Every structure is written in C-alpha cells, then in structure tokens.
Amino acid sequence: MTRDKPLIEAVGVEKRFGGYTALKGCSMAVAPGETVVLIGPSGSGKSTFLRCINLLEPPDSGSILFKGKEVGRDFASAVRLRREIGMVFQNFELFQHLDAAENIMLAPMKVLGLSRHDAHDIALGLLAKVRIRDKADSYPDELSGGQQQRVAIARALAMKPAVMLYDEPTSALDPEMIREVLDVMADLSAEGMTSVVVTHEMGFAKRAADRIVFMEAGEIVETRASADFFGGAVGARARQFLDQILH
Ligand SMILES: Nc1ncnc2c1ncn2[C@@H]1O[C@H](COP(=O)(O)OP(=O)(O)O)[C@@H](O)[C@H]1O
Ligand SMILES: [Mg+2]
C-alpha cells in the first residue's frame, strides 16, 4: 500500500499561535485506501495537524499536496481541497434546525446543485449505510450521541470525499455508543476509504489502521506499520503514552 503515490501529503507543516509553536515541521503521506491512526497526548497538536491538512488552518510553512500536486495558498484552492475531504468532529456539529436527512442533503444541494429529490435519495442511502435509515426525519436533539455522530459521518460522505479526517469522533460519546460509530468507520476503511483518525480507541486502531503515528509536543515522534506497533515495536515515549491511556 505504501508503494502507491500518496493521495494526501503534509510536508514540513509548521503552525504557530502567537509565540507558541503548535506544529514543528510535521510530515505525513497517506496512500490511497490507507487508514492512519494518529495518537498522542492532549495538546500535542493532533487537531491542529488535521486542520492544517484540510487547510482549515493555514500552515505558517510547509505544504499540503493532494494527488501529488501542491495545494495553493489562495482561498479558492483551499475550498477545492476541502470538497475532497470529509471531516468529522468530536461534537458532531450537526445543524440543529435540520433533520438527519436534511443535514446530509444540504451540501449536495448547495455545492453540487443536486435537486432536493436526488439529494434526498442520496441521504437515505447514506443513512442506511450508517445503519440509521429509520432516523431520516429525526432532529439531532431526538438522536443519541452515537446516532448523531453517524449522521455527521453520512453528511461528510455525501460529498463523496477522497479522504476522511476524524478528530476524536467517539470522545464525547457514552461508552455503549462508541462501538456503533467505530464499526461504521471500520467498515468504511475496509471498503478502501482513505482515512486519518485521531482516537485513543486502540481496539479500533488494531482492527482498522494500516499505520500508527505518534505525536508529542508538536512533532511526529514515531510512525509504525500497525502490525509492528501492536507486535510491540514501540519507542519509549509512545510506550509511556500507551501505558497511561491503557491504565
Ligand atoms: N486557535 C488556537 N489558538 C491558540 N492556541 C491554540 C489554538 N489551537 C490550538 N492551540 C494550542 O496548540 C496546541 C495543540 O493543540 P491541539 O492541536 O488542539 O492538540 P491536541 O488535539 O493534540 O490535543 C495546544 O497547546 C493548544 O492550546
Ligand atoms: Mg484535539
């Protein structure tokens, strides 16, 4: 898989907030179909790195390449890139005044110009895919956290993204709802959806990741094939972090 040309690549990405350097030259190449799990302590820069990858945050230096081409720094280039990338956040970020289907239909109608009818068909198909077809008419406040997050995943998929980025997608969920969301994500990965996932769910990482990337203090400290990582090939700092999260 790593022989393939990267689908998306960050090269030497630096990001400062005032005098604080949040990312100190982070590079990561993700091959088509690959799932990378990004781990690391709170404040290590994982969210900032994801936000730089889809140019929600402009890097101070370094570049983002999509399908081998450097993405320009202009607004239009960033908007074009983001159409190719689905992002899922910890707190779902659904539109509260729209039902599940309408949340999913919004971008296909507004951005792709689909008719309401066609967008609705797509929404129902995606809701079936995330296993809540029967919740099409429910509003976010009528859904559990796990169901809301699955609507958020379906909404991201509606734009047919080339890459999915997930930022701690199960961290806000009650324990009994974590599995249903991870199962949907693992299925997507198994179907070949290129994914970068920030998560502490090591069971998911073992099941779905091709590679594990460990970040600390704004740096990528370690990158391992998943099989090696779970086979025990882990550096001292990553080991220490794992011991903390696994108790
Ligand atoms: N918009 C911002 N303004 C100022 N500091 C920020 C901002 N976003 C993140 N940071 C800082 O950058 C560091 C990395 O944050 P973040 O990427 O959220 O880490 P993680 O997701 O690994 O917990 C933290 O110290 C955080 O306080
Ligand atoms: Mg974060």
Side-chain angles (χ1 to χ4, degrees):
M1 207 167 263
T2 43
R3 281 172 293 141
D4 293 349
K5 205 171 82 177
L7 183 60
I8 192 152
E9 190 171 3
V11 182
V13 168
E14 299 222 358
K15 182 69 192 178
R16 286 178 288 280
F17 295 110
Y20 180 78
T21 305
L23 296 177
K24 303 170 184 168
C26 291
S27 298
M28 180 173 80
V30 185
E34 197 180 20
T35 291
V36 174
V37 161
L38 191 55
I39 61 172
S42 179
S44 56
K46 305 178 300 294
S47 295
T48 305
F49 193 37
L50 282 193
R51 293 168 62 82
C52 282
I53 288 172
N54 71 1
L55 296 176
L56 278 174
E57 291 282 3
D60 292 310
S61 59
S63 43
I64 303 299
L65 282 72
F66 182 71
K67 294 184 175 169
K69 287 206 186 93
E70 183 167 353
V71 181
R73 290 305 183 88
D74 56 296
F75 180 74
S77 296
V79 169
R80 267 199 306 278
L81 176 72
R82 282 202 289 274
R83 276 194 199 180
E84 306 279 354
I85 301 180
M87 181 126 180
V88 174
F89 302 91
Q90 184 173 333
N91 291 312
F92 330 134
E93 316 272 349
L94 295 177
F95 303 109
Q96 297 298 316
H97 63 293
L98 299 177
D99 69 26
E102 288 166 339
N103 263 279
I104 299 166
M105 292 158 64
L106 196 63
M109 288 171 66
K110 285 206 162 169
V111 181
L112 304 179
L114 292 193
S115 70
R116 200 174 164 78
H117 181 269
D118 289 349
H120 194 252
D121 280 351
I122 287 173
L124 294 184
L126 288 169
L127 284 168
K129 189 168 182 62
V130 299
R131 305 172 193 171
I132 39 173
R133 167 67 182 78
D134 56 325
K135 299 295 181 187
D137 302 330
S138 299
Y139 285 84
D141 65 4
E142 299 168 325
L143 298 172
S144 72
Q147 291 167 339
Q148 288 185 65
Q149 192 60 299
R150 286 183 283 154
V151 173
I153 292 171
R155 181 177 62 175
L157 293 174
M159 290 296 289
K160 295 190 167 49
V163 182
M164 287 286 282
L165 306 178
Y166 303 88
D167 193 356
E168 302 207 30
T170 61
S171 295
L173 298 179
D174 291 328
E176 72 273 21
M177 290 166 191
I178 291 175
R179 182 69 194 229
E180 66 197 36
V181 172
L182 295 177
D183 282 349
V184 164
M185 293 164 58
D187 285 353
L188 289 168
S189 285
E191 289 167 15
M193 173 60 75
T194 308
S195 306
V196 181
V197 186
V198 175
T199 185
H200 299 312
E201 295 291 338
M202 300 315 289
F204 171 82
K206 194 168 188 174
R207 180 154 67 115
D210 297 296
R211 276 189 301 151
I212 313 290
V213 171
F214 173 66
M215 284 186 74
E216 192 175 53
E219 290 180 282
I220 292 178
V221 175
E222 196 169 333
T223 301
R224 300 267 182 200
S226 181
D228 296 341
F229 184 87
F230 289 105
V234 182
R237 287 155 80 186
R239 165 63 55 203
Q240 192 182 21
F241 170 73
L242 283 176
D243 287 346
Q244 281 163 350
I245 64 166
L246 299 174
H247 314 295

